[in-house]
Amino acid sequence: MDDFVRNKLTEWKLSEWIEAFEAQEIDEESLYHLDDQEINQLITKAGPRVKFNNKLKLLKEEQNTTQPQKQAVNISVEDSPSKSEKEIQKRKRKSDHLQGEFSQWQPAPKQQYNCAAGSQSETEILSDVKDIMKHVSEGLHGRDKLSAFLKDKTKDLETEKRHLVGVFGKTGAGKSSLINAIINKKGLLPSGSVSACTSVMIKVEATSGSKYEAHIEFITKEDWKSELKSLKEVLEDNDDNDDDDDDGGGGNDDFFDADEKLSALYGEEWKERSPHNLMDNKYFIDIPEFRTSKTKILKSDSAEGLSEKFVKYTRSESNETEEVKRWYWPLVKCVTVKVPDNDFLDHVTLVDLPANGDSNRSRDRMWTGFVASCSAVWIVTEMNQAASEKEAWEILENASSLLGNGGECQQIHFICTKSDHENPDDLKTNHQKCSQNHFSEDSFKVFTVSSTEFLKGENANPDHNEIPKLKEILKNLNDTHSETLNYVSGAYGILSLIQGATIREVVEQKNDLYDLLEGKLFIQLNQVKKAIEKIIKAFEQRLSEGVEKSQNLCEKKLKSFLHPSKMSDGAFHRTLKSAVRNDGIQKPKKGKPKNLNVTLASYLTESIDEKFRKTFPNDVKCGHFNGAIDAFSLSTDSLIEKYKDVELQLIFLQTEEKKIKAKLNKTILTQKKLIYNSLTETIKDNMKKCYREAAAFEGRGTLKKMRHTIERHVHSRKYMFEEAKNAMLEQLSDLKETVLRTLENTMKESIDFSLKTETCSLPDVSDHLQVVKKHYDELNGGQDEKKTNHTV
């Protein structure tokens, strides 16, 4: 650090930060090149940071004015490719003092959306505006209702959407290797033989720290105690089953799963111990976090080092050593791996997922939640002829309702990992059955990746390695432009209202405008109400058809489930026993899961699938309820010319309208999952009694008794289909009321505070408003400058 920087900080009354600048060796040259992230780390308080940014900006302008020749020379140098390369490397070295080592792969520059040349990047704009709003919020000291309202609105600006990308694939397909390649961290996720496949859900996301971290979340002791009992019952059923010992249909999956879990954790001891004895604390001495229901955190300086530490929590290895005598993955709910220096993971999380969920209810609930929250899904498949790869399609078919109408997935990507001979176009032709009800035609894409070139990155043969394209998809999911624009737009509105409230009163115009907007609000709400009610009526008609079909044909559906043609009675005995113990659902580790509730509800879901997908698209930009929410408008932009004296208040109302519609579309995206799944959930609730009865049977003839109990129950409760229909319609009606109430309350409150609030003490934000308005216009490509010429 030189005297220039020290003197400037003292001159700007920021001397308390000299030590931080000195520690990072900031001299005169590097001062002019500090970026926003570096400044944030140097000056951690918002007030001084805003002051520093303004002073530094003035200093740069002064330098450009007094030294035009030097500026011309700099421009000339930057135009030279070789010099530009050196300058970039110099900037990187300076940034290393603050941020640590850069990752090996650097993402391409973000598109700037018509921001003028020489202006700030969108990241810098967002940071500047956030600093301004924090400073403004801290200045709202009044105890009046308007100040409290403005502080709440400022808090509401902070929203973060983390996109989930689910990575599915059969055992040994290479999911872990793919994720390692995508994030350019060889050896982070353990990969290897088929016998050592990943057994738990693993999330991979970014961390702002410098170390690699693994956060291990365990199931509860109560969950494990319950699962121990179930696992023991499965093993006893396998020994006692007398109906048919022929395994013809893979019914032994539950047995092998139980044996694998118990052997991993207890070795051979479990065979001689009761479930009660297996809960002894001696088995969990090395994992006190399990006993206390806390998250275990592992850290390492390297990807490989972290992998060695957490492998025992994610899988079993056949070459067990003396150091690793016990594998803890049966107790693990989820592992979150945090990776430093990975910008494109800042808002994206990759999730390595088992294909079918889990027999453990706690893990399965988490699996279901992850799948339903995925914005995109990658199905990794190892094949020579993609169209014939049955298991890849089974994975999609089994999860389609959770991803589609019961989820928020927008993209389905098949990743072919042995791609030298297959034709990706063959794979695209097979998506029709899965896509017609849950996904649009353009949801499917196929990528080819040679497993031998996983970690060659951009240097690999582009014909066999499309990893760069997958990386680009992750960057595009992180829509920083929308995030920045939404925040800046909201801030622009809030500052407009603050400044408008400080201007002299124009009571007559305010009263006229208030009455006009109140009338417009009533009309617009009525239009939204009519549009939604029309949609609900259409759903009611389709559901009624589904009820009639279900009542007439449910026994035929049930027979096909209870008497599968390609499975022996011995195998099906174990399958059905597992299902009735788990509310009608059997989830083998491999193969297709069985869900009697889904089977019984299928005529209902099929009756509304296509309509539901079009009414509630997973891409929120398309608008829910056939665009009824997006059509809502008070047309405030058209009123500005007539009501010039309250233009700032109208700007606030305009931004609030945009914000509440975006918020509602996100709320609907969450609620529509519950609404769609209500059909199956209602059927499951009606079936629970007979599941308990069937699960209690033991000994000879158990299979026959279970079948008869279920058949009798369904025959006597055909009214459950009508109940399922009414449950969905009730939830749709509740959603309608939520939409109308939210629109009315939010806009009514905003109108009241804009036009009916008495004068109160508010800070002068004119300078801040000018800065934010400039950023807002930049992000909109200057379009809004034409709408208003208001001078603050």
Side-chain angles (χ1 to χ4, degrees):
M1 178 174 176
D2 55 22
D3 290 338
F4 178 84
V5 176
R6 185 178 291 102
N7 292 339
K8 283 298 176 187
L9 290 173
T10 303
E11 177 187 333
W12 297 342
K13 297 181 180 180
L14 296 169
S15 55
E16 65 181 294
W17 304 101
I18 288 175
E19 187 177 339
F21 280 70
E22 190 169 12
Q24 299 301 331
E25 301 178 9
I26 307 299
D27 57 16
E28 179 179 0
E29 181 183 3
S30 57
L31 179 70
Y32 287 104
H33 295 289
L34 286 174
D35 63 28
D36 193 67
Q37 187 174 356
E38 293 163 346
I39 293 171
N40 287 347
Q41 293 179 358
L42 285 165
I43 304 177
T44 56
K45 292 183 179 180
R49 187 163 59 242
V50 171
K51 187 186 296 185
F52 177 84
N53 282 330
N54 289 335
K55 293 292 185 181
L56 183 60
K57 184 177 180 182
L58 290 173
L59 183 64
K60 289 179 179 178
E61 291 174 355
E62 182 182 335
Q63 184 196 40
N64 291 339
T65 303
T66 57
Q67 296 179 334
Q69 292 181 343
K70 183 177 180 180
Q71 182 184 29
V73 172
N74 286 341
I75 293 172
S76 175
V77 169
E78 287 178 5
D79 286 341
S80 167
S82 59
K83 293 293 184 182
S84 177
E85 181 86 3
K86 291 179 181 177
E87 179 64 23
I88 291 171
Q89 294 303 321
K90 184 187 291 184
R91 289 288 309 280
K92 281 184 180 178
R93 286 194 295 274
K94 290 170 186 170
S95 180
D96 285 348
H97 288 299
L98 293 170
Q99 301 177 43
E101 185 180 353
F102 274 85
S103 64
Q104 297 173 21
W105 176 78
Q106 294 293 318
K110 297 276 187 182
Q111 187 177 355
Q112 293 303 310
Y113 292 88
N114 299 324
C115 284
S119 65
Q120 292 173 285
S121 71
E122 292 192 0
T123 302
E124 292 171 330
I125 288 174
L126 181 59
S127 182
D128 275 359
V129 177
K130 283 187 175 183
D131 282 343
I132 286 172
M133 295 310 295
K134 185 174 181 180
H135 186 66
V136 169
S137 181
E138 290 171 351
L140 293 169
H141 301 302
R143 296 179 178 273
D144 54 279
K145 291 182 179 179
L146 179 57
S147 294
F149 172 77
L150 290 166
K151 286 179 80 74
D152 287 341
K153 288 295 177 183
T154 303
K155 288 178 185 176
D156 288 344
L157 291 175
E158 290 289 351
T159 58
E160 181 179 332
K161 168 67 174 177
R162 179 168 287 280
H163 293 276
L164 285 183
V165 177
V167 185
F168 291 88
K170 67 178 182 178
T171 300
K175 294 182 294 175
S176 299
S177 298
L178 173 64
I179 293 174
N180 287 342
I182 290 293
I183 62 176
N184 213 15
K185 300 295 179 184
K186 184 178 181 180
L188 177 63
L189 299 190
S191 59
S193 65
V194 172
S195 62
C197 63
T198 304
S199 303
V200 303
M201 291 172 283
I202 302 179
K203 294 194 296 178
V204 181
E205 58 190 40
T207 177
S208 57
S210 60
K211 291 183 178 290
Y212 293 84
E213 298 179 9
H215 293 227
I216 300 162
E217 182 181 353
F218 295 98
I219 62 175
T220 65
K221 286 183 69 176
E222 291 71 24
D223 275 338
W224 181 240
K225 185 176 180 179
S226 175
E227 187 170 2
L228 271 177
K229 182 181 176 183
S230 298
L231 294 174
K232 282 283 193 175
E233 287 174 346
V234 168
L235 295 166
E236 289 166 4
D237 285 346
N238 189 72
D239 293 336
D240 296 341
N241 179 30
D242 64 347
D243 288 286
D244 189 339
D245 290 332
D246 177 22
D247 182 53
N252 261 333
D253 281 348
D254 286 343
F255 169 79
F256 291 127
D257 184 41
D259 184 86
E260 182 184 19
K261 285 182 177 178
L262 293 173
S263 298
L265 186 58
Y266 300 106
E268 295 295 311
E269 287 186 49
W270 67 267
K271 296 178 180 178
E272 308 298 329
R273 299 283 190 274
S274 68
H276 176 75
N277 291 333
L278 291 175
M279 290 300 298
D280 193 297
N281 282 338
K282 71 178 183 180
Y283 295 110
F284 316 115
I285 291 175
D286 294 334
I287 46 170
E289 296 85 357
F290 168 70
R291 303 200 308 268
T292 56
S293 297
K294 294 181 179 178
T295 299
K296 188 177 188 70
I297 300 177
L298 304 173
K299 295 184 179 182
S300 178
D301 292 325
S302 68
E304 293 83 357
L306 185 70
S307 181
E308 290 175 6
K309 289 183 177 183
F310 77 75
V311 64
K312 69 171 73 173
Y313 300 97
T314 62
R315 61 186 358 195
S316 297
E317 298 280 5
S318 56
N319 57 337
E320 185 175 317
T321 65
E322 285 299 315
E323 288 77 17
V324 183
K325 295 181 179 180
R326 187 164 282 122
W327 303 92
Y328 294 116
W329 62 262
L331 303 176
V332 175
K333 192 174 183 180
C334 178
V335 174
T336 301
V337 177
K338 295 180 177 286
V339 183
D341 301 326
N342 241 289
D343 292 343
F344 69 99
L345 284 180
D346 281 343
H347 297 280
V348 175
T349 296
L350 298 173
V351 193
D352 185 341
L353 290 165
N356 291 336
D358 198 280
S359 57
N360 175 274
R361 294 193 183 194
S362 178
R363 277 192 293 266
D364 195 60
R365 280 194 297 271
M366 178 175 275
W367 179 87
T368 300
F370 281 155
V371 175
S373 300
C374 285
S375 300
V377 162
W378 293 355
I379 299 177
V380 184
T381 182
E382 193 176 29
M383 50 185 153
N384 292 322
Q385 292 185 347
S388 66
E389 181 52 46
K390 180 181 177 182
E391 193 161 352
W393 284 107
E394 281 186 351
I395 290 171
L396 178 57
E397 184 181 355
N398 296 340
S400 61
S401 63
L402 277 175
L403 294 167
N405 287 338
E408 52 187 88
C409 183
Q410 300 173 37
Q411 303 170 14
I412 306 289
H413 297 150
F414 284 88
I415 317 293
C416 306
T417 60
K418 281 191 176 179
S419 55
D420 294 340
H421 302 293
E422 83 260 1
N423 179 7
D425 290 335
D426 293 338
L427 193 53
K428 294 178 182 178
T429 63
N430 267 342
H431 73 259
Q432 301 226 345
K433 181 180 177 182
C434 291
S435 70
Q436 60 186 353
N437 291 331
H438 293 280
F439 306 104
S440 60
E441 289 293 319
D442 58 355
S443 297
F444 291 81
K445 290 182 181 177
V446 181
F447 296 88
T448 57
V449 178
S450 172
S451 57
T452 58
E453 299 201 359
F454 259 152
L455 285 154
K456 289 185 179 179
E458 283 80 351
N459 296 321
N461 184 341
D463 294 330
H464 299 290
N465 184 5
E466 295 185 294
I467 284 178
K469 291 183 180 179
L470 295 176
K471 288 180 176 180
E472 193 65 29
I473 287 168
L474 293 182
K475 286 195 295 178
N476 291 337
L477 276 176
N478 184 9
D479 187 357
T480 54
H481 177 69
S482 294
E483 179 191 351
T484 303
L485 179 58
N486 289 341
Y487 190 96
V488 173
S489 172
Y492 177 39
I494 292 168
L495 293 175
S496 296
L497 178 57
I498 294 173
Q499 192 62 23
T502 63
I503 297 175
R504 60 182 176 79
E505 288 290 335
V506 278
V507 177
E508 187 176 347
Q509 273 210 344
K510 281 188 174 182
N511 289 338
D512 289 347
L513 182 58
Y514 184 89
D515 293 338
L516 178 63
L517 290 175
E518 209 173 31
K520 279 179 172 288
L521 179 60
F522 176 81
I523 293 170
Q524 287 296 306
L525 287 171
N526 197 42
Q527 289 180 357
V528 173
K529 180 182 178 183
K530 286 181 178 179
I532 296 178
E533 287 177 345
K534 183 179 179 181
I535 290 168
I536 294 176
K537 194 71 177 174
F539 274 117
E540 183 177 8
Q541 181 181 343
R542 285 168 170 77
L543 284 168
S544 295
E545 294 169 0
V547 168
E548 183 179 359
K549 200 170 182 180
S550 297
Q551 291 174 338
N552 292 334
L553 300 174
C554 64
E555 288 168 325
K556 183 179 178 181
K557 277 273 187 184
L558 184 60
K559 184 178 180 180
S560 67
F561 183 94
L562 294 177
H563 300 270
S565 59
K566 295 182 180 180
M567 187 178 290
S568 69
D569 279 354
F572 186 66
H573 171 275
R574 289 182 286 266
T575 296
L576 187 58
K577 191 72 169 179
S578 175
V580 296
R581 282 174 174 160
N582 192 36
D583 291 339
I585 306 164
Q586 189 255 353
K587 290 196 170 185
K589 192 167 184 179
K590 301 175 185 177
K592 191 172 182 179
K594 310 290 191 300
N595 191 325
L596 181 52
N597 309 304
V598 169
T599 299
L600 291 172
S602 59
Y603 289 125
L604 286 170
T605 54
E606 287 169 7
S607 70
I608 53 102
D609 270 340
E610 186 176 0
K611 174 73 175 175
F612 200 93
R613 176 175 63 81
K614 292 178 179 178
T615 304
F616 302 109
N618 285 346
D619 185 353
V620 294
K621 294 176 183 176
C622 297
H624 296 298
F625 285 118
N626 298 343
I629 310 296
D630 292 340
F632 173 89
S633 176
L634 297 181
S635 303
T636 49
D637 53 341
S638 65
L639 300 173
I640 288 177
E641 191 63 39
K642 182 177 179 181
Y643 296 94
K644 199 71 177 173
D645 289 335
V646 285
E647 176 184 4
L648 290 171
Q649 287 87 338
L650 285 169
I651 290 172
F652 167 71
L653 292 175
Q654 189 176 28
T655 58
E656 279 299 289
E657 183 184 293
K658 290 178 183 177
K659 192 167 71 174
I660 194 58
K661 289 193 290 187
K663 186 177 180 180
L664 268 176
N665 276 324
K666 290 180 180 178
T667 299
I668 294 170
L669 184 62
T670 299
Q671 289 298 114
K672 68 101 173 181
K673 303 177 196 178
L674 301 175
I675 293 172
Y676 182 79
N677 291 327
S678 67
L679 294 174
T680 304
E681 286 298 310
T682 303
I683 298 300
K684 184 172 78 174
D685 290 342
N686 272 277
M687 293 292 293
K688 280 184 177 179
K689 182 181 178 182
C690 83
Y691 291 148
R692 287 194 297 268
E693 291 179 13
F697 293 125
E698 294 179 356
R700 185 173 295 276
T702 293
L703 178 58
K704 183 178 180 180
K705 292 173 185 176
M706 288 192 295
R707 283 169 168 164
H708 178 68
T709 298
I710 295 171
E711 288 168 343
R712 186 182 68 246
H713 186 84
V714 171
H715 181 74
S716 66
R717 295 183 72 93
K718 290 186 178 181
Y719 59 82
M720 65 181 173
F721 302 110
E722 186 74 24
E723 284 187 3
K725 164 196 154 184
N726 292 336
M728 173 173 272
L729 291 175
E730 183 178 353
Q731 289 194 33
L732 283 168
S733 181
D734 289 344
L735 181 59
K736 177 195 75 174
E737 295 302 322
T738 297
V739 168
L740 294 173
R741 183 172 58 251
T742 303
L743 282 173
E744 181 176 14
N745 291 349
T746 303
M747 295 312 299
K748 181 73 165 60
E749 183 183 45
S750 297
I751 292 170
D752 286 345
F753 276 110
S754 298
L755 304 173
K756 286 292 186 182
T757 305
E758 296 181 1
T759 304
C760 56
S761 177
L762 291 173
D764 181 0
V765 296
S766 55
D767 290 342
H768 292 318
L769 179 57
Q770 276 191 326
V771 172
V772 174
K773 182 182 183 302
K774 179 185 175 184
H775 289 324
Y776 178 74
D777 291 338
E778 272 188 338
L779 293 168
N780 276 289
Q783 295 175 5
D784 289 282
E785 290 186 39
K786 299 175 183 178
K787 294 182 181 178
T788 174
N789 294 314
H790 182 88
T791 303
V792 181

